[in-house]
Amino acid sequence: TYMFLKQSKRTITQLSKRIMSIRQNMGSTTVNTRYDGRMPALAKPKLAGKPRINRRAVALVGLAGVALGALVTLLLVPTPKPAWVSEDDPNATVSVTRLDYFDERQVATAPELSADYAALSPTYGVIRRADCTPGSIVSSGMAPFVVNNEPVLLLHTDIPLWRDLEPGSRGDDVTSLENELVRLGYTDVGVDDYYSTTTANALRALWASLGVANRTTLPIMSLIWLPTPEAVVSSCTAVVGAQITPGQPLFQAGVGLESVTVPLPETLLSGAREAVIGTSITTPLPESGIITDPEFLATLTKTRSFIEYQAGNSSQLNLTIRLVQPVDVVSVPASALYELNGAAGCVVANGSPTPVRVVASQFGQTLIHADPLPTSVLIKPKEAASCK
């Protein structure tokens, strides 16, 4: 109403100025006198010209009238009140709305991070590129660093690689390399202990994706071994333009999350619960509150919340938990409740005092659970009998 009044006042002020302008442009009547020795004679009035009608101004005047009429109607006609707010009828009831309630909560967790390790430079030279940010995730197959003119490949294998590998090489390190190439999507590679043509072709494609053409070998001085397929960067020591030597740390990283402990509030509704990321990634929440699901934890490490926490920009890692199966509740006016003691209380439901449990409150409405659920409640049970 305030905004409508303010706008109406502004509109009427503008129209008043427009009307004054119209009146000035409509012309004026002039009177001429002549003296011929006799009594002065008045000349016939002569109009200066036909007034011009500003149609736009006329339209604005009409609109102002409509706005003014609407304003008067708004001020004079009282706003109807809902029937349930009537204070005259002590027996007034209201129909209630049934809802599915998941008791969704966001809680601060206690994450258990794996031990950090240092990623060491494999070569000598000048760092020309360093795509390294605390909290970011690095993964096998990436090359975030360029030393001299050579990309440095991050590569995960089951066992650390210790030598140059090339066509014709044999050994368990070759088998480990081939397993990782298959995991990275090079499915034509035959997994054995022999560096075959298919292995060489897969390496050629991997190097080409990093900007290196026609390389079918794996020089040990061009790669950093990762103990896991992915790692979370905790700190960066590599600086563009700096001289680097073999064994010098480039960044510090951790494998990620080993577990997350979720403290369970005492006010939770009973029932099986789950932790959820986004709208669809879930895992069962054990009674202990400790989540160890590796796939769920791997997804959690990719969320902004974890990245901010790992980088030290957030003091806690939050996680959403909810009921697996929702509880049926109804929404009632807060005034319908009486004899409240904690979450327990009473309402007059369908004419009878009924025990209920309060599960949430919002915007003047209270969500309650009861068995059975009421379909209507007394709005103001001033002298109702106890339900206990």
Side-chain angles (χ1 to χ4, degrees):
T1 303
Y2 170 75
M3 294 301 297
F4 183 81
L5 289 168
K6 187 176 181 180
Q7 182 62 34
S8 299
K9 180 179 178 180
R10 186 183 298 113
T11 302
I12 293 172
T13 301
Q14 292 173 348
L15 289 174
S16 299
K17 293 180 179 179
R18 173 66 68 177
I19 292 171
M20 292 297 296
S21 176
I22 294 171
R23 293 181 61 184
Q24 293 175 359
N25 292 334
M26 290 181 61
S28 58
T29 302
T30 60
V31 178
N32 299 324
T33 60
R34 294 178 300 172
Y35 182 69
D36 55 358
R38 294 176 294 177
M39 291 293 296
L42 293 177
K44 185 178 181 179
K46 183 178 180 180
L47 292 177
K50 186 178 181 180
R52 294 179 299 172
I53 299 176
N54 191 320
R55 296 182 178 180
R56 182 178 177 185
V58 173
L60 287 174
V61 172
L63 288 175
V66 173
L68 187 59
L71 176 61
V72 172
T73 302
L74 180 65
L75 295 176
L76 295 181
V77 177
T79 302
K81 294 182 179 180
W84 61 267
V85 301
S86 173
E87 299 180 357
D88 299 330
D89 185 3
N91 298 315
T93 62
V94 63
S95 298
V96 296
T97 303
R98 182 171 177 169
L99 305 168
D100 288 337
Y101 184 67
F102 284 89
D103 194 21
E104 189 169 287
R105 311 284 185 94
Q106 189 176 72
V107 294
T109 67
E112 183 68 27
L113 300 176
S114 59
D116 280 7
Y117 66 91
L120 308 178
S121 170
T123 187
Y124 299 90
V126 176
I127 300 176
R128 298 184 59 194
R129 189 183 74 202
D131 295 334
C132 184
T133 304
S136 64
I137 297 174
V138 293
S139 57
S140 179
M142 294 175 55
F145 303 97
V146 172
V147 177
N148 295 336
N149 202 33
E150 182 80 10
V152 179
L153 173 65
L154 306 182
L155 193 67
H156 162 69
T157 53
D158 296 332
I159 59 175
L161 302 181
W162 55 275
R163 60 172 175 162
D164 294 342
L165 295 178
E166 58 188 13
S169 298
R170 287 184 178 274
D172 57 356
D173 51 353
V174 174
T175 303
S176 186
L177 168 63
E178 290 171 337
N179 279 322
E180 179 62 9
L181 289 173
V182 171
R183 193 192 69 83
L184 290 174
Y186 303 99
T187 55
D188 292 338
V189 175
V191 179
D192 50 30
D193 63 350
Y194 178 67
Y195 199 120
S196 63
T197 301
T198 57
T199 306
N201 289 337
L203 260 297
R204 178 188 287 111
L206 176 58
W207 282 116
S209 68
L210 303 175
V212 180
N214 298 322
R215 177 181 289 177
T216 59
T217 61
L218 189 62
I220 194 64
M221 295 187 70
S222 295
L223 68 90
I224 295 174
W225 178 70
L226 293 181
T228 57
E230 291 185 340
V232 180
V233 176
S234 56
S235 63
C236 301
T237 52
V239 179
V240 173
Q243 291 278 349
I244 198 77
T245 59
Q248 187 172 337
L250 293 175
F251 63 92
Q252 199 81 10
V255 176
L257 282 173
E258 291 189 350
S259 67
V260 170
T261 301
V262 181
L264 302 179
E266 296 180 357
T267 57
L268 289 177
L269 297 179
S270 60
R273 290 187 171 266
E274 61 186 3
V276 57
I277 300 173
T279 58
S280 59
I281 308 300
T282 62
T283 192
L285 182 62
E287 292 184 4
S288 64
I290 302 175
I291 299 173
T292 58
D293 180 353
E295 293 186 4
F296 183 84
L297 294 177
T299 302
L300 182 58
T301 61
K302 298 177 182 178
T303 62
R304 179 175 294 276
S305 178
F306 179 80
I307 292 173
E308 291 291 324
Y309 174 80
Q310 180 71 358
N313 298 326
S314 175
S315 60
Q316 60 187 32
L317 175 63
N318 295 326
L319 190 62
T320 300
I321 60 173
R322 67 186 182 190
L323 290 169
V324 176
Q325 297 296 329
V327 174
D328 290 333
V329 300
V330 292
S331 176
V332 302
S335 62
L337 289 152
Y338 64 99
E339 291 188 4
L340 275 174
N341 183 13
C346 302
V347 297
V348 177
N350 306 325
S352 301
T354 302
V356 298
R357 179 180 179 183
V358 176
V359 298
S361 297
Q362 54 185 9
F363 308 118
Q365 294 287 304
T366 303
L367 302 182
I368 62 171
H369 176 67
D371 188 19
L373 287 174
T375 57
S376 65
V377 295
L378 189 66
I379 297 170
K380 295 182 178 180
K382 295 181 178 180
E383 299 179 358
S386 175
C387 67
K388 301 175 182 178

